[in-house]
Structure formats: structure tokens, C-alpha cells
Amino acid sequence: EMSAASAGRAVSTAPTAPKEMTSADIYFDTNSHFGTHEELLKDRMRHRAFSRALLQNKFLFTDKVVLDIGTGTGVLAMMAVKAGAKHVYAVEVSGIIHIAEAIIKKNKLDSKITLLKGKMEDVKLPVQEVDVIVCDWMGYILFHESMIETVIDARDRYLVKGGVILPDKATMRICGIEDAEYKEQRIDFWDNVYGLNMSCMKEGSLTEPLIDVCNPKQVITTHAKVFDLDLNTAPKDCLKFESKFSIKSKVHDFCHALVLYFTVEFSRCRNPITLSTSPLEYYTHWKQSVLYLDTPIPLSMREDIKGTIKMWVSGEKKDKTVIQVGTQFKGVTSIKQERTYKYG
């Protein structure tokens, strides 16, 4: 365990001066690349939600001990101090921790923030408990490369009874889109590649979810909730679900793909704050997850697509996300189809 004296200042973990570092030479893990953090910091909706949750809810932070998991460049740790935190323990596994240390010192907040390098699961904090956990734990398609299980582990080990997790709740929804133009570019493209038939490549294109921004005008159905998560109570093995859904057409058009997106909530704030990755909301770096259908569904107004969705993480490192979707449509023509999508 660290002494109280060393707990009161940022821990030096870096022999290399930040000015000597380059993305390519020093950092080999994705989370250390400057571009990754630039993208996060330029995500205005993400930044707005977190800054409102922290800086406009000082009653949650005043004189509290805070744990920031996956601190990155240290922005949330510094916000927590500005919100009145007594002390922040900021954990980061990647080399970006060296940059965070320099930024924290430059902003004269190093007496209030202790940086700890390592995986949260392996790190031992110099305190018995914390009052607040702050973490940007959401992955692509919510699950993919998320820190959900890490937050749950930290909650069980360190969070005081009745303590606060920010954000703490998530909802995943599904809707249908018209996407003839892009499907033609991305999927049907393989039928004729410079005069060659490469249609065997289609399968791979269909199997991998596309992480991309959908134009709100492409959304042609209602939205259905398929998954709820509450980090205050969720068990560690919560990265799996099975759900039925029904979405209704709002126009007369073809549905080429289903779209998954999520919304998170900072429910402990005085006025609950949400951050949505819906195609109907402003851009976030999470974008949406597009699942192309084998057979486009010809919809008339108010017709239903019914289906089931099953999703889980797999692989030794839990770095693969699997989504099974089955849909049934009964219109002028009846279409039943099933596909397994894999990401990672």
C-alpha cells in the first residue's frame, strides 16, 4: 500500500518525458494513440454530458473520494476536483498516463489526484473505499471493448454503500433503416469488381456490423428497447441478453438494415442527464451499429417487423461481440431470415 504522503500526489510512472513521445514509437496499445484521445475530446455530446454531470452536481463530489477508471488524459479526474472532490484516484492501463501526469501538473491539480498505472482489476487503491466512481465505460455497440465488468468489479471492491456511479444506467434500442445506396456500395459491390465476380466476399461484409453514422432521414420504423443495464445492481456476467422486439413502419419503403444504438443515464444527478447515440441525435464517436439484412423487407405504412435478438461477448479476452438476429415479416410477401453478426 502507498503511504498517505505519496497518496496525496500524482505517482510518477514515466522515465520518458512527454515531449519525447510519439504515437508510433512509444505507444503500441490503441488507448495510447493521441488520435484516440483527440476523437474522444472532440466528441462534444460526450464532453457535454460528463461536464454537466460533474460540474453541475457538486453536491455529489464535495469532500468525497473519487475513483476515475480509465482516466486517459485525466479530464474527468480534473473535473471531479473542480466539482469539489477531496481526492481522486485515477487508474489507467495505457502509456497515455504519462501525458495525463503532465497535464494534471500543468493545471496544478497534482496534490488532489493520484495516478495509478495498471488494469483496474489488478490495482490496489491506498484507501478502503471510495464515494464516487466515474468512468466512460461504454463500448461500441455498448458491449464491445467496454469497461462494464471492470466498473462492476471496482464497485464490489471499493464503492461505499449507497455510493455513486457516473453514468450508471444504459438502454439499448433497435430500429430499421432504408439504405439501398450504401448497401449497393458495400455489399453488392462484390458481384462485379473490375469485371470479376467476387460475390464470395459478400458473406464477410454482411456478417460484420458496420459502425457508422446513419442519416436520421434513413430511419423508417419505430424504435424498440432490447436491453436495460443498471450498474448499481448488475452482476459481473451481464454482458449478454436475449430479447424479442417489434418495430412498426412509418413509411412505404424497403428496410435494408437494422440499427442498434444506446443511451446512458447519469441518474444520480439532481436533474438526470442522458447521453444518446441515437441516429436521431447529434453525432457521437460511438456512431451506430448497422446490421444489414440478407433480404430487404418491403414495408407498407404501419406494418410490423417482429424479431428476436441475442447478444453476448466471447473470446478469451472477451474482445469479440456476437449478435444473433432473427426477423419475421408478414406483408404482401412473407420474409423470415436469420443471421449471426460478429464484431472484433
Side-chain angles (χ1 to χ4, degrees), residues 60-61 64-67 130-134 159 164-166:
L60 293 174
F61 292 90
K64 298 287 196 262
V65 176
V66 177
L67 171 60
V130 299
D131 305 295
V132 182
I133 293 175
V134 174
L159 190 63
V164 175
I165 301 173
L166 293 173

Side-chain angles (χ1 to χ4, degrees), residues 120-164:
M120 184 65 230
E121 290 85 347
D122 303 330
V123 165
K124 192 173 185 195
L125 298 184
V127 290
Q128 295 287 302
E129 55 189 24
V130 299
D131 305 295
V132 182
I133 293 175
V134 174
C135 180
D136 177 356
W137 44 263
M138 302 78 74
Y140 291 105
I141 333 180
L142 191 63
F143 284 11
H144 190 66
E145 292 183 348
S146 76
M147 289 198 285
I148 293 170
E149 291 186 333
T150 302
V151 171
I152 291 169
D153 176 74
R155 175 200 73 192
D156 293 346
R157 287 166 64 206
Y158 289 112
L159 190 63
V160 69
K161 195 177 177 186
V164 175

